[in-house]
Amino acid sequence: MKKEFSDCYDLVVYQIYPRSFKDSNGDGIGDLLGVLSKLDYIKELGANAIWLCPVFKSPQCDNGYDVSDYRDIDPMYGTMEDFERLLAAAHEKGIKIIMDFVANHTSSEHEWFRQARSSKTNPYHDYYYWADTPLNDWRAEFGGSAWEFNAATNEYYLHSFAVGQPDVNWTNPKVRDEFKEIIDFWVEKGVDGFRCDVLDHVSKDFEKDLRRNGPHLHEYINEVFGRENLKNIYTVGEAETTEESILATCGQDRNELKSVFQFSHLAVGRIGRYTPAPHRLDDVKNILTSWQDFTAKHDLLYVLLTDNHDRPWFNSRVGNDRELRYESATNIATTVFLLKGIPFIYEGQEIGAANSVFSDLSAFNDVECLGYYFEQKGKILEDKLLEEINFGSRDNTRRPFAWDGSATHGFTTASAPWLPYASRSDEINLEADLKGKHSVWRYYRDLFALRRDREVLRRGEFRQLFPERENCFIYLRENENEKILVVCNFENEQTVEGLPEGKMLLSNLDRLGGANGKYAPYECAVYEIWK
Ligand code: TEU
Ligand code: CA
């Protein structure tokens, strides 16, 4: 049976990092009622779904990716009633809610782990991975060994991420049942989808030294997500993204997930996390094109994104976030969000947010970048180390949303938010953006409106034109009735010739004349082609 993705193609997902979106009660931390107060904002922008990063009860050692109760809301974010109000209000406005599902690890404060660590005979002991001595030399993603000693049982437990995030033992069928029940709890509440955190980690193979993508991965995903009651639930996995794994998880013949994030193009412009690398937008284009072709060939649902809470701003790295910030931000939006797939826009992207520069370590919070900092301290010059974390810290995209140019940026009434505002928030905020002759926000709104109006931009096929031409991306979206041409010129001015002409639908620099002709740096335009 062919999978029905048709509804998925109408989605435009707005990702929210709840602590940094909008504070409703003046404690300096964003919360659920803050999100509720901005539903109209999200709707006006043109999104019709929200992915909420984890709001479950959590000690917050990794900002909620360490869950201590999957069936409760963290008091910092509000109550279950607040959540229900948000869900109902969102649905009333036609906005779906996608929850973050964190199942590779729990918090070390989760009741399962409290029990598990107490004795070897406790019924929950088997919910986690234990060993008398570390089974291998795996490093935790956030620094140090991945094995932590537990005195009560005289054993080590595995944590792929922070010490406070013990990995759950998915080989135990009880664990899988627990997660099914947790999913059903939220489905019964009415949520519309799940974004599955590091899902490929749930199957490991210690013998083969596999930290992820172990031999039972697909069996587990199928068991948990292939169930009948989840047929209409949208799922997107954070998992390995080789062609082979994506086919194995989302292929037409697989009963696992609807989609998986593809991150390859986000590696452009860097070596590892903290070192910039030479790059051109053509590199991004080539990766995107090959994935458009691959997903078309196998009838897979593709996810379109450039930003999320785990990466510094894409526009700061591969675009121009200084004198051509507007041009570059809107060009990237056009390059990516008119392709075939589901757009995922991350809070702040719609105002052209940019990386920060801080010279004091106290401006950082991210467990990952702090782990890196303390591992490198003394080995690298302090200035160089700060430069690296300014470039690579996940804090860049986690800073409070700047709604206006006031001292507290319309985010909170507290004098200080939980994490300092981005260092350029006086210049880059929603109010300032909307005042300008050109506005990144209005461009995004118009772009999403165009996607909504034109069936062909959602379901039509992708075809690249002039693939050999450098410093620009030219493509068509077409079906039997419609044909749309997208022209994105990249870094340098150039003249483009040989394109079909048509009626202009969208342009970031008030383009005069047709599709052919001279394009300014980062100028882009979209045309309806007469057939
Ligand atoms: O991220 C997992 C992931 O693969 C990375 O992007 C991660 O940020 C880390 O840098 C690996 O080097 C997910 C969440 O999105 C992230 O916020 C969590 O910290 C992580 O899982 C653990 O739950
Ligand atoms: Ca708050």
Side-chain angles (χ1 to χ4, degrees):
M1 191 180 66
K2 194 166 141 57
K3 277 192 201 171
E4 236 343 304
F5 291 138
S6 56
D7 287 354
C8 297
Y9 282 116
D10 296 323
L11 290 173
V12 173
V13 184
Y14 187 86
Q15 184 193 345
I16 292 184
Y17 200 62
R19 23 167 95 217
S20 299
F21 191 53
K22 172 74 185 169
D23 176 23
S24 74
N25 63 351
D27 64 355
I29 308 170
D31 45 50
L32 291 175
L33 294 184
V35 176
L36 179 72
S37 72
K38 294 294 181 187
L39 287 178
D40 287 331
Y41 168 82
I42 292 163
K43 200 177 161 126
E44 274 168 40
L45 182 66
N48 54 19
I50 290 171
W51 156 23
L52 267 188
C53 279
V55 290
F56 314 105
K57 206 155 179 229
S58 159
Q60 308 287 336
C61 87
D62 184 20
N63 294 355
Y65 283 95
D66 48 324
V67 180
S68 56
D69 186 346
Y70 291 92
R71 292 183 176 80
D72 206 355
I73 300 293
D74 196 279
M76 187 171 100
Y77 292 129
T79 61
M80 189 57 91
E81 286 70 55
D82 295 341
F83 178 81
E84 284 161 1
R85 271 179 68 191
L86 171 63
L87 185 66
H91 283 170
E92 202 161 297
K93 292 178 197 294
I95 299 174
K96 296 185 192 309
I97 299 283
I98 298 166
M99 303 299 277
D100 215 305
F101 177 68
V102 191
N104 172 65
H105 40 267
T106 67
S107 160
S108 52
E109 297 302 308
H110 193 289
E111 187 54 28
W112 302 340
F113 193 70
R114 286 158 160 304
Q115 299 268 348
R117 74 188 329 170
S118 67
S119 90
K120 287 188 182 176
T121 53
N122 186 285
Y124 287 95
H125 195 66
D126 259 6
Y127 273 42
Y128 297 86
Y129 292 105
W130 300 98
D132 294 336
T133 49
L135 293 185
N136 48 43
D137 58 0
W138 291 356
R139 308 289 296 165
E141 292 280 358
F142 300 151
S145 163
W147 296 93
E148 181 76 5
F149 186 64
N150 177 51
T153 58
N154 198 25
E155 287 171 302
Y156 291 81
Y157 69 85
L158 176 69
H159 62 92
S160 296
F161 293 87
V163 174
Q165 294 169 298
D167 283 45
V168 172
N169 175 13
W170 272 61
T171 66
N172 181 346
K174 281 199 209 130
V175 163
R176 304 197 298 274
D177 287 344
E178 296 269 15
F179 281 115
K180 284 181 232 168
E181 283 167 24
I182 289 164
I183 287 176
D184 293 350
F185 171 86
W186 290 99
V187 168
E188 277 154 32
K189 258 194 200 309
V191 309
D192 306 281
F194 296 95
R195 173 269 184 189
C196 310
D197 191 58
V198 291
L199 195 61
D200 55 343
H201 285 56
V202 302
S203 177
K204 314 177 206 288
D205 191 328
F206 296 105
E207 245 112 77
K208 295 206 183 97
D209 206 35
L210 284 178
R211 308 180 60 144
R212 56 219 277 268
N213 251 312
H216 301 289
L217 181 65
H218 296 290
E219 179 191 318
Y220 296 161
I221 301 182
N222 167 263
E223 176 183 336
V224 173
F225 287 100
R227 292 174 301 143
E228 189 61 26
N229 65 327
L230 305 184
K231 242 185 138 85
N232 297 317
I233 294 288
Y234 172 66
T235 45
V236 52
E238 192 196 29
E240 197 188 62
T241 58
T242 58
E243 293 185 349
E244 194 191 351
S245 322
I246 291 203
L247 266 183
T249 317
C250 313
Q252 282 292 337
D253 57 339
R254 310 295 297 190
N255 187 21
E256 297 184 21
L257 298 185
K258 303 251 179 353
S259 53
V260 162
F261 290 117
Q262 217 301 318
F263 294 130
S264 314
H265 57 297
L266 307 188
V268 171
R270 61 185 170 94
I271 298 164
R273 187 170 280 273
Y274 300 101
T275 311
H279 60 271
R280 295 174 324 154
L281 275 170
D282 281 335
D283 303 334
V284 172
K285 162 185 84 175
N286 293 334
I287 297 171
L288 291 172
T289 302
S290 73
W291 281 100
Q292 286 287 286
D293 293 341
F294 182 76
T295 49
K297 183 166 155 215
H298 297 280
D299 209 353
L300 302 169
L301 193 56
Y302 187 58
V303 177
L304 310 170
L305 88 161
T306 58
D307 288 281
N308 66 24
H309 65 294
D310 284 337
R311 292 169 172 79
W313 294 106
F314 189 72
N315 193 32
S316 293
R317 189 172 66 257
V318 305
N320 178 332
D321 73 0
R322 292 289 164 176
E323 59 291 342
L324 297 178
R325 186 174 58 86
Y326 161 81
E327 288 80 350
S328 165
T330 50
N331 186 294
I332 287 171
T334 314
T335 291
V336 177
F337 287 144
L338 293 182
L339 295 174
K340 185 167 186 183
I342 305 179
F344 270 64
I345 177 170
Y346 180 69
E347 66 178 47
Q349 196 178 338
E350 74 274 29
I351 58 170
N355 285 354
S356 293
V357 177
F358 286 102
S359 53
D360 193 328
L361 192 68
S362 66
F364 296 90
N365 159 276
D366 169 22
V367 56
E368 181 175 64
C369 88
L370 294 178
Y372 176 76
Y373 177 90
F374 289 112
E375 278 191 348
Q376 298 302 318
K377 199 174 161 59
K379 297 184 199 152
I380 306 181
L381 284 177
E382 182 69 12
D383 284 358
K384 174 83 172 83
L385 192 48
L386 275 168
E387 195 182 303
E388 288 191 1
I389 61 173
N390 274 309
F391 173 79
S393 173
R394 303 188 296 179
D395 287 320
N396 276 306
T397 45
R398 298 176 174 192
R399 300 198 175 274
F401 194 106
W403 296 94
D404 63 36
S406 71
T408 59
H409 294 294
F411 167 71
T412 180
T413 52
S415 54
W418 73 276
L419 182 70
Y421 297 103
S423 56
R424 295 171 66 192
S425 292
D426 288 340
E427 169 205 350
I428 308 175
N429 59 67
L430 176 66
E431 183 187 30
D433 181 73
L434 291 175
K435 265 193 209 138
K437 171 172 177 273
H438 287 129
S439 149
V440 181
W441 194 91
R442 286 195 300 269
Y443 187 84
Y444 263 107
R445 178 201 57 195
D446 294 348
L447 182 144
F448 288 141
L450 191 60
R451 264 189 80 100
R452 197 163 55 238
D453 291 348
R454 304 291 177 134
E455 166 82 18
V456 65
L457 288 176
R458 285 171 282 126
R459 292 181 182 74
E461 295 314 315
F462 160 90
R463 178 153 61 98
Q464 187 180 16
L465 296 183
F466 301 107
E468 66 294 334
R469 190 185 262 278
E470 290 180 9
N471 187 50
C472 65
F473 190 17
I474 304 173
Y475 63 87
L476 292 172
R477 295 294 308 278
E478 52 193 345
N479 61 21
E480 311 88 84
N481 312 314
E482 294 173 279
K483 193 185 253 190
I484 285 183
L485 170 72
V486 180
V487 187
C488 293
N489 181 45
F490 291 157
E491 294 92 324
N492 307 311
E493 178 185 287
Q494 74 173 311
T495 299
V496 175
E497 277 157 5
L499 296 179
E501 284 296 350
K503 177 180 145 212
M504 196 174 73
L505 300 173
L506 183 68
S507 115
N508 64 348
L509 288 176
D510 315 311
R511 187 170 175 80
L512 294 171
N516 293 289
K518 199 193 266 177
Y519 280 77
Y522 298 108
E523 183 171 9
C524 60
V526 180
Y527 298 88
E528 173 168 36
I529 300 303
W530 296 301
K531 275 199 158 180

